Amino acid sequence: MLKNNDISYFFDPKSIAIIGASSKAGKVGYNVLRNIVESNYKGKLFPINLRAEEILGYKAYKSVLDVPEEIDIAIFVIPSKFVNFIAEECGKKNIKGLVIITAGFKEIGGLGITREQELIQIAKKYNMRVIGPNCLGLIGINYNGSFAANTPKKGEIAMISQSGAMLTGMMDYSMDQAFGFSCNISLGNKADMDEVDFIEYLANDPDTKVILCYLESIENGEKFLRVVPKAVRKKPIIILKSGVSAAGARAASSHTGALAGSDIAYDLAFKKCGVLRANSIADLFDYGEIFLYQPIPKKNSFAIITNAGGPGIVATDAFEREGLKFAQFSEPVLHLLRENLPAEAAIFNPIDIIGDASPKRYEFTIKTIFGLNHETGQGSIEEDDITTHGALIIMSPQAQTKPADVAKLIYDITSKSLSDKPIVCALIGGVSMAEATKYLKQHHIPCYRFPEGAAKSLKAMVIYNGFLNKQIIEDLEVAKFKVKQEKVKEIFQKVRADERTVLLSHETSEIFDIYGIISPKSRLAKTPAEAGKWQREIGKSVLKIVSPNIIHKTDVGGIILNIETEQEAFEAYVQIIENAKKFGPQSARIYGVEVQEMIDFKKELKVNEVIIGMSKDPQFGPLLMFGTGGIYANFMKDVSFALSYKFTKENAKELIENTKIYSLLQGVRGEPSSDIDAIIEVLLRLSQLVNDFPEIVEIDINPLLSFVKGYSAVDIKITISR
Amino acid sequence: MSKVVKVFYLCSLQERAGKSFLSIGFIQKLQKEGKRFAYFKPIGCPRGAYSSKADKDIEFILQTVYKDRNPYDLVCPISIPDSYYVDLIDSSRKIEYIETIKSAYDKIVKDVDYMIVEGAPSIRKFVRVGIDDVSIAKALGINDLIYICPESSDNCIDNIFFTKNYFESRNVRMSGIIFNKIDLEYIARIRELQKDHIAKYNLPVLGIIERSIQLFSPRVNEVMEAIGGEFINEIASAGLNNTVETIIIGAMSAQAALKYLRQVKKAAIITGGDRADLALAALNEDVSVLILTGFIQPDAKVITVANDKNIPIILSPSDTYTTMRNLERLKPGIQKDEIEIVLKLIESQIDWDFLLK
């Protein structure tokens, strides 16, 4: 990453050069210059054009080096083959930032990749920052430096998009909405600056209240995890992430890899950082709007007020689906509702004020649940009796419903008395609701056509509030166990020298031993006599063929159980080698036979097979997995995941609690509880192992046998990168 | 001949023990050590019965590690084909052969301190007509022979002692043993046998060399030649240099075959040209070449995928069994890009202090 972190010159430049400015309408070089001029840019403009003397009234120059004044940024709209040459000139001119709208770089492959690398080298040399290439441009505080057809309204949403077309679409969509933009950034190829750079900057931008992103990929997951949580504490960040990540293409040779979907790491990373994930364009703007205009609820405790049963039930379902909680009204509130609403009304949450509800009845109900004095609009019920921290108000078109009047009084109440409780509306209908919908939107009350959208938006606020109340990630205490890392390094060196990526079982056993994870004792025997010797040391054993090329050991007769004497071990060794040579792949390299302690779990009161794994995500690093193990692991798919980044004891607990097997571990039908604390410790130790050694790409422990006291990691597979 | 020349006469009881491989390694090592040495192979085996007199292995050595040293005829004075050869060398010509060998040997030995002599495929070879390894060694005044043992089973012990006794009966000596092409899992066992059986007879173990899958695996080019096949996707010609480590016959359903395909590395898949399902499944795995039997042209999709992945497709004129049998007979040679690996192996695994002292 290039240095120079103050990037304010991109948003509020004092002077701009347009490389390739044109006077011919229809050319990108014309559109960009026209947009800057029409957006009332007050700074200095320098069109750069080899032939023109003047463009749109501005004196044109042949080169940036001919411009007699300082230039903050240069916007490129020339063919790609000339870009690097001119970028070099920009460097000599001490220009701070380049916006490369031009395409024909990394996205075309081959020569384009080299061209982009060269561009970055030039930028580095002159300490310039680069937006793009292959982007729409940027709309900053004081100018529209893009080739979009329109300049969007000013507002407080910052929009970052990896797709230029998505950005123009969203800008166009916003034209008849209440909200506008503080800035619009098109990322393009992200050769230098990416979403994280802009998020970091915009977090401190006083003109931006909410950051919305449309992303197709995140290249630098580590930077994202480090920077974004701090930004989220300052303002909400909502991301619509599309596309299948590169992770999906990786070969999933482990259970963990196969069970972890391509997108799960993004979900986990967003959750860890407090980023709200939108699943559709509609969600993206719905969330943006509610954060922009409504206060964040202090608690997950909401009311639904409806004038019809059906929509009320639909809304209730949506609330439950989203995990939104219903406020339990206090007795004084219930008393007021009971006394003043018709007998047919349902006064418990959701409140059904029935079909003939007038604006007055809406007003009474809203004020009552929020404890507002009906005369003055100020609080009348004791503070402790107010349990509602936000509300969804539903209107369906009935004969007595006066949507426009209700809309006005909702605005009236919220603007005067409800500064810390979000109110959203769902106006179910079309024509008869149009005026009220328009009024509410104009007055910054989020208004949805159906209750589901409202529930999702409120949920987003609850999640955000939950994140704000969590400990700051950087301050989290991550367990650190004392281990002899050197020894593990040596094992990996040996594996690499052997041109292997998969560790043999005695190697994994040794590593687990070093990291304090209990697995059955294991030794590698290279001759029948050695097998006998190890059996004597270990006791009752199972003998297994050791070869990286033999995956299905049982199929080739590569496992013999219940070896109780030295002689049996000697014979089993010979038998296993003969079987493997006869039935295994021809070119299999056989390292010998593993003599592994046979766990006698019949003596255990209770045994549960769990799976613990790690699969390395290309963007966000190690991904830990826990779930139901054994041979049915892949079919049960009872697993949950967590990022190993800043993985705490609480995270480990949560990881276990998110699975079905957690209930079994707790004990059912009078069973004793399994040693869950021990499993938590395994997860923490495993997390440390994978963070200590980034070369580990996959770990599978399947099964890990969990007992009432203790556990045993029976079958372990570790894969390292080449 | 007054000066003492140290001779490494490499011989074996079994064929394909890796004598050429060892010779290539020995030549490089002596070159690296700056020693005055020569390489000699008394009797070569031409490729075709009567078509060419050149031995493929010797040609390779002369073109790579032993360039511009001695002419072919001096390095390998006699050439005897592999089939119907007894008629060519009736004992009446024995003297003539021995003289030819001796004269060539004398010419190249005079300027060197070390001689590498590569024996016949087996010490049994040409014993009927008296030009076997022991007879030649004796004629050249060589009494010590190095025995190459390529066995990864306890049979090796019997063969070592059989050979030792045979040598003694003919008044030559086994001066050391090199275990070559040994399976990884058998190396520890050899050390046990050395301790318990070999050491007490004062037989030095000069080295234990693991079977190198890479070195002893054929290239696709060699496979094609061995089965008399036709290469049909020019685009994937870079793949002709691929190594073939495993051979798999695809007869079962594609789904069932996957389990086996996933376990192998650099495989040659032999299947029918009309088995597009299996061919496509195989092309997703670590495959070096697709061999389609019965000369049946494959589906266009198979060719497209193979082209994408640079995997050659070879049409075999024979049925699957015959194709497989021809492949089993294939004796892969060392490739030019592998000679450095040979040196590395020979250098690290052979007791040179003992050999050069």
Side-chain angles (χ1 to χ4, degrees), chain A residues 649-667:
Chain A
K649 200 169 170 181
E650 282 62 43
N651 294 146
K653 250 179 101 176
E654 201 182 321
L655 183 65
I656 298 171
E657 284 168 5
N658 284 340
T659 59
K660 292 193 184 99
I661 197 162
Y662 174 59
S663 318
L664 301 186
L665 292 173
Q666 283 180 308

PDB file of all heavy atoms in Angstrom, chain A residues 649-667:
ATOM      1  N   LYS A 649     -12.307 -16.506  24.341  1.00  0.00           N
ATOM      2  CA  LYS A 649     -13.035 -17.569  25.014  1.00  0.00           C
ATOM      3  C   LYS A 649     -14.545 -17.442  24.746  1.00  0.00           C
ATOM      4  O   LYS A 649     -15.234 -18.438  24.510  1.00  0.00           O
ATOM      5  CB  LYS A 649     -12.763 -17.454  26.517  1.00  0.00           C
ATOM      6  CG  LYS A 649     -13.026 -18.694  27.277  1.00  0.00           C
ATOM      7  CD  LYS A 649     -12.495 -18.577  28.680  1.00  0.00           C
ATOM      8  CE  LYS A 649     -13.009 -19.767  29.473  1.00  0.00           C
ATOM      9  NZ  LYS A 649     -12.589 -19.765  30.841  1.00  0.00           N
ATOM     10  N   GLU A 650     -15.038 -16.203  24.744  1.00  0.00           N
ATOM     11  CA  GLU A 650     -16.470 -15.968  24.471  1.00  0.00           C
ATOM     12  C   GLU A 650     -16.817 -16.420  23.053  1.00  0.00           C
ATOM     13  O   GLU A 650     -17.865 -17.009  22.808  1.00  0.00           O
ATOM     14  CB  GLU A 650     -16.819 -14.477  24.642  1.00  0.00           C
ATOM     15  CG  GLU A 650     -16.981 -14.016  26.088  1.00  0.00           C
ATOM     16  CD  GLU A 650     -15.699 -14.182  26.893  1.00  0.00           C
ATOM     17  OE1 GLU A 650     -14.615 -13.853  26.350  1.00  0.00           O
ATOM     18  OE2 GLU A 650     -15.768 -14.681  28.040  1.00  0.00           O
ATOM     19  N   ASN A 651     -15.914 -16.113  22.115  1.00  0.00           N
ATOM     20  CA  ASN A 651     -16.148 -16.543  20.726  1.00  0.00           C
ATOM     21  C   ASN A 651     -16.229 -18.067  20.657  1.00  0.00           C
ATOM     22  O   ASN A 651     -17.061 -18.627  19.933  1.00  0.00           O
ATOM     23  CB  ASN A 651     -15.017 -16.087  19.804  1.00  0.00           C
ATOM     24  CG  ASN A 651     -14.937 -14.586  19.660  1.00  0.00           C
ATOM     25  OD1 ASN A 651     -13.875 -14.012  19.523  1.00  0.00           O
ATOM     26  ND2 ASN A 651     -16.077 -13.922  19.720  1.00  0.00           N
ATOM     27  N   ALA A 652     -15.344 -18.734  21.399  1.00  0.00           N
ATOM     28  CA  ALA A 652     -15.311 -20.196  21.384  1.00  0.00           C
ATOM     29  C   ALA A 652     -16.619 -20.751  21.945  1.00  0.00           C
ATOM     30  O   ALA A 652     -17.199 -21.692  21.396  1.00  0.00           O
ATOM     31  CB  ALA A 652     -14.123 -20.702  22.187  1.00  0.00           C
ATOM     32  N   LYS A 653     -17.071 -20.128  23.017  1.00  0.00           N
ATOM     33  CA  LYS A 653     -18.331 -20.569  23.639  1.00  0.00           C
ATOM     34  C   LYS A 653     -19.493 -20.410  22.659  1.00  0.00           C
ATOM     35  O   LYS A 653     -20.298 -21.313  22.462  1.00  0.00           O
ATOM     36  CB  LYS A 653     -18.603 -19.703  24.878  1.00  0.00           C
ATOM     37  CG  LYS A 653     -18.445 -20.460  26.174  1.00  0.00           C
ATOM     38  CD  LYS A 653     -18.692 -19.554  27.336  1.00  0.00           C
ATOM     39  CE  LYS A 653     -20.090 -19.797  27.876  1.00  0.00           C
ATOM     40  NZ  LYS A 653     -20.355 -18.995  29.071  1.00  0.00           N
ATOM     41  N   GLU A 654     -19.505 -19.247  22.035  1.00  0.00           N
ATOM     42  CA  GLU A 654     -20.570 -18.937  21.079  1.00  0.00           C
ATOM     43  C   GLU A 654     -20.541 -19.926  19.910  1.00  0.00           C
ATOM     44  O   GLU A 654     -21.580 -20.392  19.444  1.00  0.00           O
ATOM     45  CB  GLU A 654     -20.320 -17.519  20.558  1.00  0.00           C
ATOM     46  CG  GLU A 654     -21.533 -16.843  19.980  1.00  0.00           C
ATOM     47  CD  GLU A 654     -21.155 -15.457  19.458  1.00  0.00           C
ATOM     48  OE1 GLU A 654     -20.337 -14.759  20.110  1.00  0.00           O
ATOM     49  OE2 GLU A 654     -21.651 -15.096  18.400  1.00  0.00           O
ATOM     50  N   LEU A 655     -19.331 -20.255  19.476  1.00  0.00           N
ATOM     51  CA  LEU A 655     -19.155 -21.190  18.355  1.00  0.00           C
ATOM     52  C   LEU A 655     -19.801 -22.540  18.691  1.00  0.00           C
ATOM     53  O   LEU A 655     -20.506 -23.138  17.868  1.00  0.00           O
ATOM     54  CB  LEU A 655     -17.655 -21.361  18.092  1.00  0.00           C
ATOM     55  CG  LEU A 655     -17.219 -22.223  16.921  1.00  0.00           C
ATOM     56  CD1 LEU A 655     -17.662 -21.596  15.613  1.00  0.00           C
ATOM     57  CD2 LEU A 655     -15.698 -22.367  16.896  1.00  0.00           C
ATOM     58  N   ILE A 656     -19.581 -22.998  19.917  1.00  0.00           N
ATOM     59  CA  ILE A 656     -20.148 -24.287  20.334  1.00  0.00           C
ATOM     60  C   ILE A 656     -21.663 -24.159  20.507  1.00  0.00           C
ATOM     61  O   ILE A 656     -22.431 -25.027  20.075  1.00  0.00           O
ATOM     62  CB  ILE A 656     -19.486 -24.754  21.653  1.00  0.00           C
ATOM     63  CG1 ILE A 656     -17.981 -24.950  21.435  1.00  0.00           C
ATOM     64  CG2 ILE A 656     -20.118 -26.057  22.151  1.00  0.00           C
ATOM     65  CD1 ILE A 656     -17.184 -25.201  22.706  1.00  0.00           C
ATOM     66  N   GLU A 657     -22.080 -23.055  21.096  1.00  0.00           N
ATOM     67  CA  GLU A 657     -23.513 -22.877  21.381  1.00  0.00           C
ATOM     68  C   GLU A 657     -24.359 -22.772  20.120  1.00  0.00           C
ATOM     69  O   GLU A 657     -25.559 -23.026  20.140  1.00  0.00           O
ATOM     70  CB  GLU A 657     -23.716 -21.604  22.225  1.00  0.00           C
ATOM     71  CG  GLU A 657     -23.305 -21.828  23.684  1.00  0.00           C
ATOM     72  CD  GLU A 657     -23.217 -20.517  24.469  1.00  0.00           C
ATOM     73  OE1 GLU A 657     -23.565 -19.460  23.911  1.00  0.00           O
ATOM     74  OE2 GLU A 657     -22.780 -20.581  25.621  1.00  0.00           O
ATOM     75  N   ASN A 658     -23.742 -22.402  19.007  1.00  0.00           N
ATOM     76  CA  ASN A 658     -24.495 -22.247  17.765  1.00  0.00           C
ATOM     77  C   ASN A 658     -24.794 -23.566  17.064  1.00  0.00           C
ATOM     78  O   ASN A 658     -25.308 -23.565  15.950  1.00  0.00           O
ATOM     79  CB  ASN A 658     -23.719 -21.357  16.794  1.00  0.00           C
ATOM     80  CG  ASN A 658     -23.817 -19.902  17.180  1.00  0.00           C
ATOM     81  OD1 ASN A 658     -24.732 -19.523  17.907  1.00  0.00           O
ATOM     82  ND2 ASN A 658     -22.888 -19.094  16.732  1.00  0.00           N
ATOM     83  N   THR A 659     -24.420 -24.699  17.662  1.00  0.00           N
ATOM     84  CA  THR A 659     -24.654 -25.984  17.000  1.00  0.00           C
ATOM     85  C   THR A 659     -25.708 -26.784  17.763  1.00  0.00           C
ATOM     86  O   THR A 659     -25.991 -26.505  18.933  1.00  0.00           O
ATOM     87  CB  THR A 659     -23.359 -26.821  16.968  1.00  0.00           C
ATOM     88  OG1 THR A 659     -22.924 -27.017  18.315  1.00  0.00           O
ATOM     89  CG2 THR A 659     -22.273 -26.127  16.187  1.00  0.00           C
ATOM     90  N   LYS A 660     -26.235 -27.790  17.079  1.00  0.00           N
ATOM     91  CA  LYS A 660     -27.246 -28.649  17.719  1.00  0.00           C
ATOM     92  C   LYS A 660     -26.585 -29.578  18.727  1.00  0.00           C
ATOM     93  O   LYS A 660     -27.159 -29.923  19.743  1.00  0.00           O
ATOM     94  CB  LYS A 660     -27.968 -29.466  16.658  1.00  0.00           C
ATOM     95  CG  LYS A 660     -28.823 -28.619  15.756  1.00  0.00           C
ATOM     96  CD  LYS A 660     -29.757 -29.485  14.933  1.00  0.00           C
ATOM     97  CE  LYS A 660     -30.547 -28.639  13.955  1.00  0.00           C
ATOM     98  NZ  LYS A 660     -29.979 -28.667  12.606  1.00  0.00           N
ATOM     99  N   ILE A 661     -25.354 -29.969  18.415  1.00  0.00           N
ATOM    100  CA  ILE A 661     -24.704 -30.923  19.312  1.00  0.00           C
ATOM    101  C   ILE A 661     -24.432 -30.301  20.679  1.00  0.00           C
ATOM    102  O   ILE A 661     -24.205 -31.010  21.665  1.00  0.00           O
ATOM    103  CB  ILE A 661     -23.415 -31.512  18.685  1.00  0.00           C
ATOM    104  CG1 ILE A 661     -23.023 -32.778  19.454  1.00  0.00           C
ATOM    105  CG2 ILE A 661     -22.276 -30.511  18.661  1.00  0.00           C
ATOM    106  CD1 ILE A 661     -22.092 -33.698  18.781  1.00  0.00           C
ATOM    107  N   TYR A 662     -24.517 -28.989  20.740  1.00  0.00           N
ATOM    108  CA  TYR A 662     -24.319 -28.317  22.023  1.00  0.00           C
ATOM    109  C   TYR A 662     -25.321 -28.847  23.073  1.00  0.00           C
ATOM    110  O   TYR A 662     -24.955 -29.097  24.217  1.00  0.00           O
ATOM    111  CB  TYR A 662     -24.471 -26.799  21.849  1.00  0.00           C
ATOM    112  CG  TYR A 662     -24.417 -26.026  23.140  1.00  0.00           C
ATOM    113  CD1 TYR A 662     -23.291 -26.088  23.967  1.00  0.00           C
ATOM    114  CD2 TYR A 662     -25.487 -25.237  23.549  1.00  0.00           C
ATOM    115  CE1 TYR A 662     -23.242 -25.377  25.158  1.00  0.00           C
ATOM    116  CE2 TYR A 662     -25.449 -24.526  24.739  1.00  0.00           C
ATOM    117  CZ  TYR A 662     -24.322 -24.603  25.539  1.00  0.00           C
ATOM    118  OH  TYR A 662     -24.274 -23.915  26.717  1.00  0.00           O
ATOM    119  N   SER A 663     -26.564 -29.061  22.638  1.00  0.00           N
ATOM    120  CA  SER A 663     -27.575 -29.584  23.578  1.00  0.00           C
ATOM    121  C   SER A 663     -27.159 -30.958  24.081  1.00  0.00           C
ATOM    122  O   SER A 663     -27.319 -31.284  25.247  1.00  0.00           O
ATOM    123  CB  SER A 663     -28.942 -29.730  22.915  1.00  0.00           C
ATOM    124  OG  SER A 663     -29.193 -28.622  22.127  1.00  0.00           O
ATOM    125  N   LEU A 664     -26.630 -31.778  23.167  1.00  0.00           N
ATOM    126  CA  LEU A 664     -26.205 -33.122  23.571  1.00  0.00           C
ATOM    127  C   LEU A 664     -25.021 -33.037  24.527  1.00  0.00           C
ATOM    128  O   LEU A 664     -24.908 -33.823  25.456  1.00  0.00           O
ATOM    129  CB  LEU A 664     -25.815 -33.966  22.353  1.00  0.00           C
ATOM    130  CG  LEU A 664     -26.905 -34.186  21.300  1.00  0.00           C
ATOM    131  CD1 LEU A 664     -26.406 -35.153  20.227  1.00  0.00           C
ATOM    132  CD2 LEU A 664     -28.162 -34.752  21.939  1.00  0.00           C
ATOM    133  N   LEU A 665     -24.125 -32.093  24.259  1.00  0.00           N
ATOM    134  CA  LEU A 665     -22.957 -31.945  25.133  1.00  0.00           C
ATOM    135  C   LEU A 665     -23.405 -31.501  26.528  1.00  0.00           C
ATOM    136  O   LEU A 665     -22.811 -31.900  27.536  1.00  0.00           O
ATOM    137  CB  LEU A 665     -21.969 -30.927  24.554  1.00  0.00           C
ATOM    138  CG  LEU A 665     -21.253 -31.342  23.253  1.00  0.00           C
ATOM    139  CD1 LEU A 665     -20.437 -30.186  22.706  1.00  0.00           C
ATOM    140  CD2 LEU A 665     -20.349 -32.540  23.470  1.00  0.00           C
ATOM    141  N   GLN A 666     -24.431 -30.699  26.575  1.00  0.00           N
ATOM    142  CA  GLN A 666     -24.935 -30.254  27.881  1.00  0.00           C
ATOM    143  C   GLN A 666     -25.558 -31.416  28.644  1.00  0.00           C
ATOM    144  O   GLN A 666     -25.643 -31.390  29.861  1.00  0.00           O
ATOM    145  CB  GLN A 666     -25.994 -29.168  27.689  1.00  0.00           C
ATOM    146  CG  GLN A 666     -25.407 -27.812  27.362  1.00  0.00           C
ATOM    147  CD  GLN A 666     -26.506 -26.802  27.182  1.00  0.00           C
ATOM    148  OE1 GLN A 666     -27.438 -27.029  26.409  1.00  0.00           O
ATOM    149  NE2 GLN A 666     -26.425 -25.712  27.903  1.00  0.00           N
ATOM    150  N   GLY A 667     -25.999 -32.442  27.877  1.00  0.00           N
ATOM    151  CA  GLY A 667     -26.624 -33.610  28.503  1.00  0.00           C
ATOM    152  C   GLY A 667     -28.122 -33.565  28.329  1.00  0.00           C
ATOM    153  O   GLY A 667     -28.750 -32.554  28.619  1.00  0.00           O
TER     154      GLY A 667
END
